Amino acid sequence: MYGRELKMVKKVVMAYSGGLDTSVAVQWLKNLYDCEVIAMVGDVGQKEDLEPVREKALKTGAEKAYVEDLTEEFVTDYVYPTLKASALYEGKYLLGTAIARPVLAKRLCEIAEKEGADAIAHGCTGKGNDQVRFELTVKSLMPHLKIIAPWREWDLKSREDCIKYAEDNNIPVPVSKDKPFSIDRNLWHSSYEGGVLEDPYFEPEDDMFLMTDSPEKAPDEPCYLELEFEQGIPIKVDGEKFEPVPMLEKLNDIAGKHGIGRIDIVENRLLGMKSRGVYETPGGTLLFTAKNELEYLVLDKDTMHFKETVSQKYAELVYNGLWFTKLKDSLDAFVDETQKNVTGKVKLKLYKGSVQIAGRTSPYSLYNEELATFEEDEVYDQKDAEGFINLFGLSAMNQGIIERKKKN
Ligand code: ARG
């Protein structure tokens, strides 16, 4: 059975990063399956020069290498829906890695289709969430493709094993310095996990962070920033219009200088174990804060409260890799409806790692000063409150009567 399966793979599209393990994986696939390997390097804003990575893929044995700019698609089709949904995993994590996997996996599928490949491969380990996200995307979009996860199959257990395999197979070993933790970076965030961070009591060194300065080093003067949204999507910064990618880059830059957007979390992985992660999402933290403030202004109570439940479910789906599913589409439809009036401006105050709301305004604001005022007004008759409280409190009063009876 296994032998027959092996023979069936003729062409594999592999998610390639240029690191040691994906380089080894290219050769390993060829040795084991005697197949053609096409490398796909996706640019999701990891700020790396990807041309050398293409070269490396070819030198490592890939027949062909694609370098794909996915930045715009990433922001508009993955970041924005997550922002509109206010999806936050376990109350803290803005899902930066979770949303980058489906965009990469979707492009793998597109290339597999174009190339007539019969399998895709990825370099995720068998312990994390990323393997699930890659594979569920492939199962949703191209269910007939075989999926190969070398880390779950080969007997290479460590970096040393990989180096040995590389040397034995004449694969050039990348000279990159080994960091004492694993990094995953894109336009939305940077994540740090593993290695020295596995001890949840260990505080990371400040030089670990790639996108933010420490709050201590941030300017002593606060900075005010005005963000403008249209139907839940950011369109202007301080009155100036921006395209999605440059907008996020600008916000990352400003928030990064003010030390904003770092979190440290012990999270529940899909596969059951807890893991410690340190993430920075500078621009995203500004966007989430501002857009949520606008929602306080324009959403009615019931929609807003129901959306809180939806946000949580949405975050869980995205975290678990269920991006391309019916439930996710259905939640998107609900969220899009809620965003129709999420238009307006928010003024933020950035200061040494914190972001505070300084003001908000919207043409669709439901906030009615006349209704809210403590002063005398014309639109509200205070006498109505008595009848309302009597009926609203009927059940509480009934319970009170019984409890009093029990005591006597
Ligand atoms: N724990 C986070 C998540 O599951 C971050 C994963 C980082 N992945 C990585 N390959 N370094 O979304």
Side-chain angles (χ1 to χ4, degrees), residues 249-382:
E249 272 171 345
K250 183 175 173 73
L251 294 178
N252 279 338
D253 202 42
I254 300 172
K257 281 198 181 79
H258 287 272
I260 289 164
R262 295 183 179 183
I263 67 146
D264 183 330
I265 182 176
V266 173
E267 78 200 41
N268 290 293
R269 283 194 189 160
L270 173 61
L271 295 170
M273 74 279 269
K274 285 192 186 289
S275 76
R276 191 271 187 102
V278 179
Y279 311 132
E280 47 182 350
T281 317
T285 301
L286 299 184
L287 289 171
F288 259 63
T289 307
K291 204 216 46 137
N292 286 343
E293 291 296 341
L294 207 50
E295 289 190 3
Y296 281 110
L297 194 63
V298 303
L299 289 189
D300 63 282
K301 181 168 83 173
D302 285 341
T303 305
M304 188 171 140
H305 290 182
F306 192 72
K307 186 166 180 274
E308 285 172 9
T309 312
V310 169
S311 299
Q312 210 179 332
K313 185 71 196 170
Y314 196 102
E316 205 178 292
L317 283 181
V318 171
Y319 187 86
N320 292 343
L322 295 161
W323 187 274
F324 293 102
T325 59
K326 196 71 188 162
L327 181 54
K328 159 74 172 42
D329 288 349
S330 309
L331 296 185
D332 275 325
F334 168 80
V335 168
D336 281 345
E337 185 62 35
T338 66
Q339 299 301 288
K340 285 187 174 160
N341 285 353
V342 184
T343 293
K345 294 178 193 164
V346 178
K347 191 166 42 168
L348 297 175
K349 182 175 174 180
L350 284 46
Y351 183 63
K352 290 200 175 286
S354 79
V355 45
Q356 285 167 38
I357 173 78
R360 68 292 257 170
T361 175
S362 165
Y364 308 118
S365 170
L366 295 177
Y367 177 79
N368 183 333
E369 267 172 82
E370 230 189 327
L371 267 177
T373 182
F374 284 96
E375 310 298 325
E376 206 43 56
D377 66 86
E378 312 256 288
V379 289
Y380 183 91
D381 186 346
Q382 301 206 15

Side-chain angles (χ1 to χ4, degrees), residues 110-177:
E110 286 159 1
I111 294 173
E113 179 132 84
K114 187 169 146 209
E115 292 283 345
D118 43 18
I120 73 109
H122 61 72
C124 309
T125 70
K127 278 182 107 174
N129 298 312
D130 291 328
Q131 52 174 346
V132 182
R133 297 166 181 155
F134 266 109
E135 295 182 31
L136 294 200
T137 298
V138 176
K139 283 180 191 301
S140 295
L141 302 181
M142 290 190 75
H144 57 283
L145 285 183
K146 182 178 164 65
I147 298 166
I148 307 169
W151 272 108
R152 299 199 300 246
E153 289 187 33
W154 64 27
D155 47 14
L156 309 174
K157 295 275 172 280
S158 60
R159 190 173 160 82
E160 284 64 43
D161 289 349
C162 288
I163 292 178
K164 170 104 182 43
Y165 189 95
E167 285 168 355
D168 291 348
N169 287 274
N170 296 322
I171 302 166
V173 176
V175 284
S176 66
K177 275 173 260 119

Side-chain angles (χ1 to χ4, degrees), residues 6-259:
L6 288 185
K7 266 192 227 121
M8 271 159 49
V9 178
K10 293 200 171 60
K11 215 189 237 194
V12 186
V13 185
M14 160 104 201
Y16 184 76
S17 70
L20 174 65
D21 44 351
T22 48
S23 300
V24 166
V26 171
Q27 196 55 54
W28 179 86
L29 284 168
K30 295 174 73 81
N31 291 348
L32 191 65
Y33 292 92
D34 192 21
C35 59
E36 206 180 305
V37 176
I38 296 171
M40 195 283 276
V41 189
D43 183 0
V44 283
Q46 59 269 53
K47 302 279 173 222
E48 226 184 294
D49 186 2
L50 297 180
E51 273 317 308
V53 180
R54 180 208 301 276
E55 297 298 309
K56 203 186 282 180
L58 295 171
K59 268 197 215 127
T60 306
E63 269 72 23
K64 221 179 194 182
Y66 284 81
V67 174
E68 300 289 292
D69 180 359
L70 302 171
T71 49
E72 169 109 23
E73 186 179 341
F74 176 57
V75 178
T76 54
D77 293 356
Y78 297 82
V79 166
Y80 284 174
T82 313
L83 172 67
K84 286 194 275 185
S86 310
L88 207 56
Y89 185 68
E90 297 189 335
K92 279 184 161 187
Y93 172 34
L94 278 90
L95 295 162
T97 295
I99 56 175
R101 294 302 172 256
V103 70
L104 287 162
K106 178 167 178 271
R107 187 53 58 94
L108 283 177
C109 288
E110 286 159 1
I111 294 173
E113 179 132 84
K114 187 169 146 209
E115 292 283 345
D118 43 18
I120 73 109
H122 61 72
C124 309
T125 70
K127 278 182 107 174
N129 298 312
D130 291 328
Q131 52 174 346
V132 182
R133 297 166 181 155
F134 266 109
E135 295 182 31
L136 294 200
T137 298
V138 176
K139 283 180 191 301
S140 295
L141 302 181
M142 290 190 75
H144 57 283
L145 285 183
K146 182 178 164 65
I147 298 166
I148 307 169
W151 272 108
R152 299 199 300 246
E153 289 187 33
W154 64 27
D155 47 14
L156 309 174
K157 295 275 172 280
S158 60
R159 190 173 160 82
E160 284 64 43
D161 289 349
C162 288
I163 292 178
K164 170 104 182 43
Y165 189 95
E167 285 168 355
D168 291 348
N169 287 274
N170 296 322
I171 302 166
V173 176
V175 284
S176 66
K177 275 173 260 119
D178 210 12
K179 300 246 186 207
F181 39 75
S182 137
I183 302 178
D184 178 58
R185 184 176 182 182
N186 59 46
L187 252 178
W188 187 237
H189 96 158
S190 203
S191 83
Y192 312 90
E193 275 185 350
V196 291
L197 298 171
E198 276 166 18
D199 171 5
Y201 204 77
F202 173 84
E203 183 185 359
E205 307 283 336
D206 194 50
D207 63 8
M208 176 183 84
F209 296 92
L210 297 171
M211 299 170 82
T212 57
D213 290 336
S214 71
E216 292 91 327
K217 284 193 204 125
D220 291 326
E221 291 302 311
C223 157
Y224 283 88
L225 199 67
E226 186 194 74
L227 296 183
E228 186 169 339
F229 292 83
E230 205 173 278
Q231 304 205 335
I233 301 286
I235 51 161
K236 285 185 190 170
V237 179
D238 284 336
E240 195 185 332
K241 240 180 151 44
F242 280 91
E243 291 300 316
V245 171
M247 150 111 47
L248 190 49
E249 272 171 345
K250 183 175 173 73
L251 294 178
N252 279 338
D253 202 42
I254 300 172
K257 281 198 181 79
H258 287 272

